[in-house]
Amino acid sequence: EHILQNAFKYTPKGGRVELGAFEDRKNKGLTVYVRDNGIGIRPENMKTIFQRFSKNHSYGTDGEFGLGLGLSVSKRILRVLGGKISVTSKPNEETTFYLNFKGKDK
């Protein structure tokens, strides 16, 4: 939920937020993605956005303040569920978060 909220928070009015999923054959599981054409993530923040207590404070497109804690919490929850999270971003163009869930061996 937090990933989707961030997509709307950092995408200007009239922008695009896309939610989708695909079968991840490499990991034998499912990948859910959230893509937006918002403000993006600065390259200097890419290495630390999933770290607890990182100082990646930012403001949304309507001036909302973000503490930078939600992504680290999302990563920890996914890890408990056996999944992982990753991101690609081009500042001022596009950001995509990938949530990978491994399938259960039968």
Side-chain angles (χ1 to χ4, degrees), residues 48-91:
T48 60
I49 61 170
F50 295 115
Q51 293 178 1
R52 291 191 312 169
F53 308 114
S54 66
K55 302 215 178 208
N56 292 326
H57 308 296
S58 58
Y59 291 90
T61 56
D62 283 336
E64 316 93 321
F65 183 70
L67 292 174
L69 296 174
L71 292 175
S72 68
V73 171
S74 297
K75 180 180 178 178
R76 293 180 78 191
I77 290 170
L78 277 165
R79 190 177 325 139
V80 167
L81 295 172
K84 62 182 180 176
I85 186 171
S86 59
V87 63
T88 60
S89 186
K90 296 176 187 172

Side-chain angles (χ1 to χ4, degrees), residues 7 10-12 15-16 36-40 61 90-95:
Y10 295 107
T11 300
R16 174 184 42 80
D36 66 65
N37 65 341
I39 62 173
T61 56
K90 296 176 187 172
N92 300 312
E93 287 185 37
E94 177 178 281
T95 300

Side-chain angles (χ1 to χ4, degrees), residues 18-24 29-34 98-99 101:
E18 177 184 345
L19 176 64
F22 58 89
E23 180 181 359
D24 187 344
L30 176 73
T31 295
V32 175
Y33 66 90
V34 178
Y98 299 92
L99 294 79
F101 301 92

